[in-house]
Amino acid sequence: MSAKPKLYYFDGRGKMESIRWLLAAAGVQFEEEFLETRDQYEKLLQGGSLLFQQVPMVEMDGMRMVQTRAILSYIAAKYNLYGKDLKERALIDMYVGGTDDLMGFILMFPFLSAEDKEKQRAIIVEKATSRYFPVYEKVLKDHGQDFLVGNNFSWADVHLLEAILMVEEKKSDVLSGFPQLQAFKARISNIPTIKKFLEPGSQRKPVPDDKYVETVRRVLRMYYDVKAN
């Protein structure tokens, strides 16, 4: 296995993007192998690398890891982005769980019909502004610290910034009623490792396009239409 973590996924965001974000935040360089054909995917399946027959898959520290949450938890713990004790870890898990739920409304967006995309866009903005962003706004306001947990940079901060930027792609002024989150976004975006990841030419993936959608459908043999939530 490579000394660097190696990521197996499509050349696009999907469930792998949060893993890219967290590795980048930790300052860890990584390699990627992009799935472009069904044969590549079948080879991983036949080789036993995909424990539950799905990607993402990450080769790291002598392991082949699957299940996105398990991979993220390992990276966060390894690079001291998972709090200093069990209570902080529980808070990080709760906040990450919330942003995961919000991202879930966005994940399948590229696979929707044009009509369903407009419906889903409205759902995403409504959920963000009424259910999720108010929670983080209150947390930051109540404790008056720069970060979500323990006044230390953590996985929760990385995940929230990723979610904010994803929702802003659907509505650019979505943070207009959230001054704490506006300041949070500016602070976290200027952390050196994050700032580097946000610059052009990094391994951060762009908004999924038709080519990405077609590749995923072909490799995974997705012959059905995805419906809006």
Side-chain angles (χ1 to χ4, degrees):
M1 291 186 181
S2 170
K4 297 178 183 178
K6 187 170 183 179
L7 283 50
Y8 293 80
Y9 201 67
F10 306 99
D11 188 7
R13 290 183 183 176
K15 290 189 174 182
M16 186 65 87
E17 189 69 354
S18 292
I19 297 169
R20 297 183 185 107
W21 266 88
L22 196 57
L23 286 169
V28 178
Q29 295 183 342
F30 56 88
E31 300 174 349
E32 301 190 73
E33 181 170 318
F34 298 127
L35 301 181
E36 298 176 346
T37 67
R38 180 71 185 184
D39 284 346
Q40 286 176 285
Y41 182 64
E42 293 282 359
K43 185 176 180 180
L44 290 175
L45 288 174
Q46 292 164 9
S49 296
L50 304 183
L51 193 62
F52 300 104
Q53 302 179 25
Q54 61 192 27
V55 288
M57 193 265 282
V58 174
E59 288 184 349
M60 185 175 182
D61 295 342
M63 298 185 290
R64 289 187 174 94
M65 294 186 287
V66 295
Q67 290 296 333
T68 307
R69 187 62 181 259
I71 298 167
L72 288 165
S73 296
Y74 180 84
I75 295 167
K78 179 179 175 69
Y79 295 105
N80 299 315
L81 296 169
Y82 211 175
K84 68 178 185 297
D85 55 33
L86 284 174
K87 289 184 177 180
E88 288 193 357
R89 184 167 292 192
L91 288 173
I92 289 169
D93 283 339
M94 285 197 300
Y95 298 151
V96 167
T99 46
D100 262 345
D101 290 346
L102 176 56
M103 288 178 183
F105 291 102
I106 304 172
L107 185 64
M108 298 308 293
F109 186 88
F111 298 88
L112 299 174
S113 67
E115 180 182 355
D116 279 345
K117 280 181 179 178
E118 289 311 305
K119 295 177 183 177
Q120 189 72 356
R121 189 188 309 275
I123 291 171
I124 291 165
V125 172
E126 192 277 329
K127 296 293 186 184
T129 55
S130 68
R131 179 184 294 184
Y132 298 102
F133 288 174
V135 172
Y136 305 113
E137 181 78 5
K138 186 176 188 300
V139 169
L140 292 166
K141 183 177 181 180
D142 286 353
H143 67 39
Q145 297 174 339
D146 288 345
F147 306 106
L148 286 172
V149 178
N151 204 28
N152 286 302
F153 182 49
S154 76
W155 173 21
D157 302 304
V158 180
H159 217 52
L160 178 55
L161 178 61
E162 182 188 0
I164 286 171
L165 296 180
M166 289 170 72
V167 178
E168 284 186 329
E169 289 170 351
K170 303 295 179 272
K171 189 176 189 294
S172 60
D173 64 347
V174 73
L175 290 186
S176 60
F178 301 97
Q180 296 292 333
L181 287 180
Q182 291 177 40
F184 171 87
K185 174 190 168 185
R187 283 195 304 273
I188 305 303
S189 296
N190 277 296
I191 291 173
T193 54
I194 298 291
K195 186 175 182 179
K196 183 178 180 181
F197 190 60
L198 292 173
E199 291 174 349
S202 80
Q203 287 170 287
R204 183 187 179 208
K205 304 308 176 192
V207 176
D209 58 13
D210 290 343
K211 180 181 178 181
Y212 167 77
V213 170
E214 192 277 331
T215 300
V216 173
R217 286 186 180 277
R218 183 179 66 251
V219 173
L220 299 184
R221 293 179 176 169
M222 292 173 59
Y223 301 127
Y224 55 88
D225 292 328
V226 176
K227 299 298 182 182
N229 288 322

